[in-house]
Amino acid sequence: MGFGERYSEGDMSVSDVEIRKAAGLLAAANHVVVLTGAGVSKESGVPTFRDAMEGLWANFNPEELATPQAFRRNPQLVWDWYEMRRQKVDAVQPNPGHYAIARLEDRLPHVTVVTQNVDGLHRMAGSTDVIELHGNIRQHKCFDACQGEPTLIDLGSLRWAHADRPPRCPHCGAHVRPNVVWFGESLPAGAFSRAQQLAETADVVLIVGTSGIVQPAASLPYYAKRLGHAQLIDVNPERDEIAPICDVFLQGPSGVILPQVLAAVDALNKA
Ligand code: BV8
């Protein structure tokens, strides 16, 4: 869709006025934080966290599997779930929404991506300042953090029998696990505090593809609005928890909406 065409599907439509308002806020901004959730990767083919799980995982609840308790109880089951998701992520590419976010860096002075996603697609799309609040599914670490948190382990350097999965830490023999943040675990040291500091000093926070449910990530827009001076732009096909405090709500898929916003920023910069 070219700039100027309205995005509309069913009862969703985003007017040029809303696109231009969002572009005007971004074009005037010095510091921008882009807060993303699973929805920004949906058009790459990565199911969102709340999408129904399929196949043999259909009977499991992600929020129960993504916990240290589940891993202790059944390490092989949790390992297999992450291996399935990692293989899905390895097979996909960034979508136009990721690329539009990356290209904002060429148009604006300071852009930082703060993502809840573990798929690594923002960096793959070219974003250079990315805070991965919940870790990265392509990395692995020792479950006991025997050399400090995180004790990262190169899976390629290990040899183990498939039947004995998950593999064992070469230092201490504990299980190897994905380097992601599970429910009930603290976020990587410094990641959230930097994200919070950036949110409180941002001129604009662009919120893309998050239900606004998972804490503490979901608090960042509130910090930006109440402790800072940020204008908030929300991009989501559905009205999420954060939409009510936002200055602009662009209802639609980010892979369609964000390229239109980028085109509108360029049109303003040319004017
Ligand atoms: C913490 C990595 C402090 C793993 C994830 C009891 C004890 C301890 C803590 C808690 C507790 N009860 C509650 C909590 C807090 C808990 C929490 O928030 N729970 C929720 C369920 C209420 N948080 C934590 O535990 C956090 N840690 O609090 O530490 C602490 C420490 C110790 C003891 C006490 C306290 C850790 C949270 C991190 C969990 N790990 N990921 C993995 O991926 O397997 S979170 C996981 O959920 C994903 O990262 C994902 O990003 C996130 C879900 O959020 P979203 O990204 O928003 O995804 P969702 O599916 O919800 O929404 C997608 C959206 O996209 C939708 O709105 C949809 O409309 C939209 N969409 C769809 N298509 C598109 C689209 N948008 C744009 N374009 C499209 N095309």
Side-chain angles (χ1 to χ4, degrees), residues 200-258:
E200 290 175 8
T201 53
D203 303 306
V204 171
V205 177
L206 175 59
I207 301 142
V208 186
T210 183
S211 59
I213 292 171
V214 173
Q215 296 294 351
S219 301
L220 290 169
Y222 297 87
Y223 291 139
K225 195 71 180 167
R226 298 197 177 129
L227 302 178
H229 60 277
Q231 299 282 312
L232 305 185
I233 301 165
D234 190 19
V235 180
N236 195 322
E238 295 167 17
R239 289 194 73 80
D240 51 56
E241 300 275 319
I242 299 168
I245 67 165
C246 288
D247 300 278
V248 184
F249 176 55
L250 303 177
Q251 185 164 7
S254 48
V256 173
I257 298 290
L258 291 178

Side-chain angles (χ1 to χ4, degrees), residues 28 42 47 54 84 96 105 110 144 154 162-163 179 222 224 230 235 258:
K42 177 86 181 252
E54 296 157 357
M84 177 276 289
E105 288 185 22
H110 303 283
D144 287 349
D154 171 15
H162 184 68
N179 184 29
Y222 297 87
V235 180
L258 291 178

Side-chain angles (χ1 to χ4, degrees), residues 36-40 42-43 48-51 63 66 81-82 85 116-118 134 180-187 208-216 235-238 240 252-255:
T36 68
V40 77
K42 177 86 181 252
E43 290 153 272
T48 75
F49 211 70
R50 260 153 263 286
D51 277 339
E63 282 164 19
W81 182 49
Y82 278 93
R85 290 174 59 197
Q116 300 172 80
N117 300 340
V118 297
H134 298 159
V180 298
V181 179
W182 280 332
F183 289 100
E185 292 186 324
S186 300
L187 275 55
V208 186
T210 183
S211 59
I213 292 171
V214 173
Q215 296 294 351
V235 180
N236 195 322
E238 295 167 17
D240 51 56
S254 48

